[in-house]
Amino acid sequence: MPNADTTMADTTMIDHALDAEGVDPLLLAGINDRNLQEVHQLFGVRVVMRSDRVQLSGSVDAVERATPVVQHLIDLARMRAPFDVHDISRFAESFDTHGHGGTMPDDEDIRIALPGSKKVITPKSEGQRAYMQAIRDHDVVIGIGPAGTGKTYLAVAAAVDALYKKRVKRIILARPAVEAGENLGFLPGDLQEKVDPYLRPLYDSLEDMMPLERMRRALEDRTIEIAPLAYMRGRTLSDAFVILDEAQNATTAQMKMFLTRLGLNSRVVITGDKTQIDLPRVSDSGLIEIEHVLADVDGIAIVYLDAMDVIRHRLVKDIIRAYADAEDEAS
């Protein structure tokens, strides 16, 4: 049974005010105060914005836990750095784990502001920060992690940024069309139309980052090329930012073929999820092989992302963990 002092400390209610001078109230509070409501749900504190102050009210423990997160939101809003209601729980977890919120001013050198778009792309977790820094600093980066961690999205953003800044002359996005297999012939249309459904996620990422007309022109003049991995055979990819997505479904032979296509001034990002291998045998995956074969090669970075880096709906993180727990029990 807790002593009287502990009980009193647990039930003491306090108010704590934070300075929010110069902050856009709508950016901080969110539409219909959704951001403030999320803080309330996460920590059990009452959050009120008054003039240039944000006041937190609640138990001592709850206010102490909420304060650094709310201060982080104020700092981001003051810098006009984008965040939404789904980011707040990640910030809270990052403070609990690392002591900071995961998107700090020192991310300035890896922040991507895309021309023609209002989007400013920044890392939203420790894993994403490491991933974006690796893409900035290495010629070949291998990003391994579950769905929803931003592996493809951040790689495409870095590729578009490199193209806009004329660091490369073209972008090449490739995916193995493993799901089609022998069934390609049963799909309607020509070969390109048959494989397009498997490349759709890459188109979606591009559409989110470029004006539609500019993207169409880039695809037409082949400044940007989206193609099945098999189309890479026999080519030399120079002055290009090359992304191999869903690399867990590339065979060992395909992976070697892809890596040996690299030419002068090539940048390569390989992304994959080892839990979603669609090949007949898991051991055939080229991603699993290069994870070990290339681990000590200078100039190649391998970055691992996990459930903490998931940036989709909050349930995705819980679903990934539930599957991992079930697999552990089964094995």
Side-chain angles (χ1 to χ4, degrees):
M1 182 174 179
N3 60 43
D5 291 340
T6 302
T7 303
M8 182 174 289
D10 289 343
T11 58
T12 300
M13 307 298 288
I14 64 169
D15 296 326
H16 181 61
L18 296 171
D19 178 22
E21 185 177 359
V23 169
D24 180 346
L26 180 59
L27 182 59
L28 177 59
I31 298 172
N32 297 325
D33 290 341
R34 287 189 302 177
N35 294 341
L36 303 186
Q37 292 170 14
E38 179 72 4
V39 173
H40 169 69
Q41 291 175 3
L42 286 171
F43 300 104
V45 296
R46 183 168 176 261
V47 189
V48 178
M49 284 190 66
R50 291 196 178 115
S51 185
D52 291 334
R53 291 156 62 90
V54 177
Q55 182 162 309
L56 308 179
S57 304
S59 69
V60 173
D61 178 65
V63 171
E64 284 182 348
R65 291 182 60 234
T67 294
V69 175
V70 176
Q71 183 62 60
H72 185 57
L73 300 182
I74 292 171
D75 293 339
L76 292 174
R78 191 170 278 137
M79 295 186 299
R80 297 193 174 276
F83 66 89
D84 60 35
V85 67
H86 301 299
D87 295 324
I88 298 173
S89 61
R90 287 192 295 276
F91 296 156
E93 287 188 31
S94 187
F95 270 104
D96 287 342
T97 306
H98 305 289
H100 60 76
T103 305
M104 301 297 287
D106 62 0
D107 286 331
E108 184 69 36
D109 60 340
I110 52 175
R111 184 175 292 131
I112 298 173
L114 298 173
S117 169
K118 295 182 179 179
K119 288 184 176 295
V120 178
I121 298 169
T122 58
K124 294 184 177 182
S125 68
E126 283 294 313
Q128 287 195 352
R129 176 186 286 107
Y131 183 52
M132 292 182 74
Q133 287 174 336
I135 292 174
R136 180 195 63 189
D137 297 336
H138 295 80
D139 291 333
V140 177
V141 175
I142 302 165
I144 299 174
T149 51
K151 302 183 302 296
T152 303
Y153 189 84
L154 294 176
V156 172
V160 173
D161 184 53
L163 184 66
Y164 278 140
K165 292 177 178 176
K166 301 187 184 303
R167 293 173 180 165
V168 296
K169 294 180 180 178
R170 55 183 175 156
I171 296 172
I172 298 173
L173 310 175
R175 261 190 171 203
V178 169
E179 297 90 342
E182 296 298 322
N183 295 321
L184 273 175
F186 294 95
L187 296 174
D190 59 23
L191 183 58
Q192 188 63 47
E193 290 171 329
K194 293 176 193 291
V195 298
D196 268 355
Y198 305 106
L199 305 174
R200 186 69 247 173
L202 298 174
Y203 286 101
D204 291 342
S205 295
L206 279 176
E207 288 173 0
D208 200 40
M209 297 176 196
M210 299 180 71
L212 190 56
E213 187 55 38
R214 182 163 189 172
M215 187 189 92
R216 286 174 179 166
R217 289 199 306 269
L219 288 169
E220 287 173 1
D221 65 19
R222 302 182 73 81
T223 302
I224 298 177
E225 181 181 351
I226 303 177
L229 176 58
Y231 284 23
M232 299 297 106
R233 187 174 299 279
R235 302 179 59 183
T236 299
L237 308 176
S238 302
D239 291 312
F241 197 117
V242 190
I243 299 172
L244 174 58
D245 193 35
E246 296 290 329
Q248 75 275 2
N249 288 328
T251 65
T252 56
Q254 287 177 323
M255 185 66 74
K256 183 178 179 182
M257 176 274 292
F258 172 77
L259 287 169
T260 54
R261 299 305 94 203
L262 306 186
L264 296 175
N265 193 38
S266 288
R267 304 284 299 281
V268 174
V269 178
I270 297 170
T271 72
D273 178 357
K274 293 189 293 182
T275 68
Q276 296 193 30
I277 297 173
D278 297 313
L279 297 169
R281 295 185 304 174
V282 170
S283 60
D284 290 337
S285 173
L287 181 66
I288 290 179
E289 182 181 51
I290 63 170
E291 181 184 10
H292 305 292
V293 171
L294 304 182
D296 298 322
V297 177
D298 189 38
I300 297 178
I302 301 178
V303 180
Y304 293 92
L305 298 106
D306 56 30
M308 288 290 291
D309 304 303
V310 170
I311 58 171
R312 293 181 184 168
H313 192 286
R314 68 182 64 187
L315 282 176
V316 174
K317 187 182 301 182
D318 295 333
I319 290 168
I320 291 170
R321 287 172 173 162
Y323 270 99
D325 290 344
E327 289 170 3
D328 288 342
E329 289 178 8
S331 62

